[in-house]
Amino acid sequence: MFSSTTYQRRREILKKEVSHGGILLLGHIESPINFEHNTYPFRQDSSFLYYVGIQVPRLAVLFDVDENRDILFGDEHDLDDVIWMGRQETLQDKCLKAGLQEVRPFNQLGAYIQNMLRGNRKVHYLPPYQSYSEILLQEVLGIPRAAISPSATLIRAVVKQRSVKEDQEIEQIEKAVQVSVDMHRLAMQIAKPGMKEFEIVNAIQKLAADQSCSLAYPPIVTVHGEVLHNHYRQHTLQSGDMVLNDSGAETAMGYAADLTRTFPVDRTFTVQQREVYQVVLKAFADARCMLQPGAQFKEVHLQAARSLVTGLIELGLMHGDPEEAVQNHAHTLFFQCGLGHMMGLDVHDMEDLGEQYVGYTEDEPKDTETFGLKSLRLGKALQSGYVITVEPGIYIIPELIDRWQAEKKHSAFINYATLAQYRNFGGIRIEDNFLITPRGNRVLGPELMITVDEIEAYRSSFC
Ligand code: GLY
Ligand code: MN
Ligand code: MN
C-alpha cells in the first residue's frame, strides 16, 4: 500500500470535487470458477484500490461528504477463517494503513444508505460492471436493476483524479514496464521453429510471477498477429512466421504495463516483413513526436494513420493522397483499431467508467459509428501526468479484404491486386508506454529492442 496520507489526500480531493451527498465505492468479492470455494485469483476494483488500497474481498466504502466521514463496511475474520486460511492482519489494522478510522459490519451498509436516502441525500456511485455489484446496488439502494443510475459527477471526478498519475504511481507503472521488458526479451530469446505459442506464454508468465507480478491482461502471443485480440495459443511457430507478443505485467499493487513487439521466428525478417515493419515503426515514431500536453490524441491517431498510408503507398499497397485516404477512412483496411489508450491501475485505464468520460470531452464526443474511430479509446487533449500507450499496427485480415474488394470499397486508394501478395502476411504491432511530461513525453521503463536491426541482432544472438 501507499502511505495512509496518500489515500486520505485522494479522498479529500474527491469529496471536494463531488461536493455533496455520499460516495459509495464497492469492492470486489471472490468469484467462483466452478463452485463457491474454488475461486479466480482475487483482484480488487481499481477505483476502490485507488481510494482505499485494501485488497480484501467483500468490502464497501462510503465517503459521507456532508458529514466528512469515511466509513468502511466489512467484516473481521472469524475463527473459521483462521482455521482455514491462517491468522491474517485484521481489517482494523488494514484500515489504519488506509487512514480510515471507522469500520462497520458489512451488513450495516444498507441501513446507512437507506438513512441517507430518507434524508434526501444523494448517493453517488460508479457504473457496476460485475453482476455482484449490480445486485448489491439494487439491495442497498432498494431499486430495480433498470433504475441503477451511476453518478456522472462522481465519474468525472474520479477520471479527473486518476488520469493524472502521481510520482509514486509512475514508479509502480515503471516497475510493471520493467518486468514486461524482461518478459519480451525472454520471448525473443526462446522462440524457435517447432515451439508452440503457449510455451512462450508459460515462460513469460513464470517470469512475471518470479518478480511477484501477475499479468495485466491475457497475453496475445501469436503467429496470427492480424487477429487483434488473439487468445488462441496452439499454433506451432514455423520458419518464416512472425510472432506478435502483446503482454504486460501487473504489480502487486495493481499497476499495469502493456507492451507489444513483433519479431521473426527466424533470425531475420523476410524482405516483405521488414518493409512493412519499417512502415509501422515510422508511424510509431511520428506519433511519438507529437506526444505533449495539449496534443489532441485523435490528431496523433490520424497522423499515425497518414504515416501508415504514406508507407503503404511506397510499398504499392495504396495510392492517392494520404490525407484524403485517411479522411475517407481507407487506412482502416490495414489499421482497424485505435492508436492507444490510458494506462494505470487498469491496462485500459478506467474503461469501466466509460470511454466517453475517460477519453473524450462533451465538446468532442467519441465517434461510436465509424469503423476505426469507434475503436479509438482516447481522443482528447493530453495532459502532463497522463500515462498512455502508442500502438500502431498493420493487420492483413483476409476476410475484411475480401469483403471490401467485393464491394470495390475505396479502390481509389487501395491496390487490391498487389495486396493479394500479402494475403497471408499476418500482422505487426509495436506498442510502448509513455508518460506525458510538462514539455513532451518519456517512454517508460528500460529500452526494449524496437528497430529491425536491434531485433535481428538480438534474435541472432540466441538462434
Ligand atoms: N493489450 C491490449 C491492448 O494493447 O490494448
Ligand atoms: Mn497491448
Ligand atoms: Mn494497448
Side-chain angles (χ1 to χ4, degrees):
M1 285 175 74
F2 296 123
S3 69
S4 58
T5 49
T6 293
Y7 300 106
Q8 283 169 324
R9 186 187 65 241
R10 289 174 179 176
R11 295 195 292 265
E12 289 313 311
I13 293 169
L14 183 69
K15 283 184 282 190
K16 218 172 249 163
E17 194 79 22
V18 170
S19 85
H20 69 286
I23 298 164
L24 174 63
L25 299 180
L26 303 180
H28 282 167
I29 52 168
E30 292 194 293
S31 295
I33 300 171
N34 49 351
F35 54 89
E36 190 190 345
H37 291 114
N38 194 30
T39 57
Y40 291 104
F42 177 73
R43 173 55 157 86
Q44 187 57 282
D45 170 78
S46 295
S47 289
F48 192 93
L49 211 44
Y50 184 83
Y51 292 103
V52 178
I54 303 179
Q55 308 207 36
V56 168
R58 202 162 177 268
L59 300 177
V61 76
L62 193 287
F63 310 146
D64 191 324
V65 183
D66 304 325
E67 296 187 5
N68 198 18
R69 293 162 74 181
D70 299 341
I71 309 163
L72 187 114
F73 293 87
D75 299 318
E76 286 291 358
H77 287 118
D78 58 18
L79 185 57
D80 239 23
D81 293 326
V82 175
I83 290 167
W84 287 95
M85 298 186 307
R87 191 180 305 140
Q88 296 182 25
E89 190 178 30
T90 64
L91 188 56
Q92 194 82 41
D93 284 345
K94 285 188 193 298
C95 284
L96 280 181
K97 289 184 181 166
L100 285 159
Q101 320 298 339
E102 221 178 319
V103 187
R104 297 192 184 187
F106 192 81
N107 65 12
Q108 290 186 12
L109 175 65
Y112 196 97
I113 300 277
Q114 285 303 315
N115 196 34
M116 282 189 71
L117 295 174
R118 273 194 300 275
N120 275 330
R121 296 208 288 141
K122 168 98 177 153
V123 179
H124 301 266
Y125 50 89
L126 298 173
Y129 56 95
Q130 288 194 352
S131 309
Y132 156 77
S133 309
E134 220 173 48
I135 292 165
L136 185 61
L137 278 178
Q138 290 172 60
E139 275 176 22
V140 298
L141 295 165
I143 55 173
R145 182 165 181 251
I148 291 178
S149 170
S151 159
T153 307
L154 177 60
I155 295 172
R156 284 195 192 95
V158 171
V159 168
K160 182 173 167 191
Q161 209 173 347
R162 280 182 57 189
S163 294
V164 178
K165 271 53 181 183
E166 302 159 353
D167 288 348
Q168 58 188 352
E169 293 187 281
I170 291 159
E171 250 175 64
Q172 279 288 315
I173 295 170
E174 269 203 293
K175 182 175 176 217
V177 179
Q178 190 178 330
V179 174
S180 307
V181 163
D182 288 343
M183 286 158 53
H184 280 260
R185 287 188 177 140
L186 179 63
M188 283 194 230
Q189 277 176 32
I190 64 175
K192 58 177 184 216
M195 191 177 241
K196 292 280 190 187
E197 293 162 341
F198 64 73
E199 291 181 68
I200 299 177
V201 175
N202 294 347
I204 61 180
Q205 189 149 7
K206 178 179 182 316
L207 188 149
D210 286 346
Q211 302 292 320
S212 304
C213 286
S214 54
L215 297 182
Y217 54 93
I220 301 163
V221 177
T222 178
V223 293
H224 281 286
E226 77 279 12
V227 182
L228 296 175
H229 281 178
N230 194 348
H231 293 137
Y232 183 82
R233 297 158 181 170
Q234 303 292 332
H235 294 113
T236 303
L237 276 50
Q238 291 177 2
S239 176
D241 285 342
M242 289 181 293
V243 176
L244 185 151
N245 174 12
D246 181 345
S247 54
E250 177 177 304
T251 65
M253 288 183 67
Y255 286 87
D258 182 7
L259 301 181
T260 307
R261 287 294 184 272
T262 310
F263 61 88
V265 170
D266 301 318
R267 290 171 174 215
T268 54
F269 290 98
T270 66
V271 172
Q272 195 182 56
Q273 289 167 350
R274 184 175 304 137
E275 286 175 352
V276 177
Y277 191 96
Q278 305 281 24
V279 173
V280 179
L281 188 59
K282 175 76 167 68
F284 177 90
D286 289 348
R288 182 189 175 163
C289 285
M290 294 175 71
L291 302 180
Q292 61 179 22
Q296 297 280 338
F297 197 70
K298 185 174 173 184
E299 285 309 313
V300 184
H301 167 85
L302 293 173
Q303 180 54 44
R306 283 189 290 271
S307 179
L308 289 174
V309 171
T310 304
L312 289 165
I313 290 172
E314 280 166 19
L315 295 183
L317 288 165
M318 294 187 76
H319 56 261
D321 174 40
E323 174 78 46
E324 226 180 286
V326 170
Q327 271 171 14
N328 284 280
H329 312 288
H331 64 281
T332 60
L333 182 61
F334 302 93
F335 181 43
Q336 302 83 7
C337 52
L339 182 70
H341 49 83
M342 297 270 209
M343 196 185 79
L345 277 167
D346 310 296
V347 60
H348 293 174
D349 211 20
M350 302 172 279
E351 198 160 292
D352 59 305
L353 304 183
E355 286 177 4
Q356 173 57 40
Y357 289 107
V358 178
Y360 292 84
T361 61
E362 274 167 40
D363 294 340
E364 294 191 58
K366 181 174 170 159
D367 180 339
T368 55
E369 301 291 328
T370 309
F371 186 59
L373 285 178
K374 71 178 179 184
S375 303
L376 179 61
R377 297 183 162 95
L378 177 60
K380 68 186 178 187
L382 301 175
Q383 283 182 35
S384 178
Y386 281 11
V387 171
I388 61 162
T389 70
V390 173
E391 48 183 302
I394 289 182
Y395 310 102
I396 306 292
I397 304 173
E399 292 82 353
L400 184 63
I401 293 168
D402 290 347
R403 170 78 65 91
W404 280 34
Q405 190 167 9
E407 294 170 1
K408 296 193 172 52
K409 190 163 171 177
H410 295 313
S411 45
F413 301 108
I414 294 161
N415 291 332
Y416 286 105
T418 314
L419 189 49
Q421 299 159 29
Y422 289 74
R423 190 168 176 86
N424 298 314
F425 179 85
I428 292 176
R429 171 161 66 255
I430 301 170
E431 179 174 22
D432 268 341
N433 307 147
F434 292 92
L435 169 69
I436 307 303
T437 59
R439 289 165 187 274
N441 68 80
R442 177 165 79 77
V443 68
L444 291 172
E447 256 187 50
L448 177 60
M449 295 73 71
I450 195 165
T451 65
V452 166
D453 286 350
E454 286 166 352
I455 290 173
E456 290 186 345
Y458 196 72
R459 287 289 295 146
S460 298
S461 61
F462 292 100
C463 299

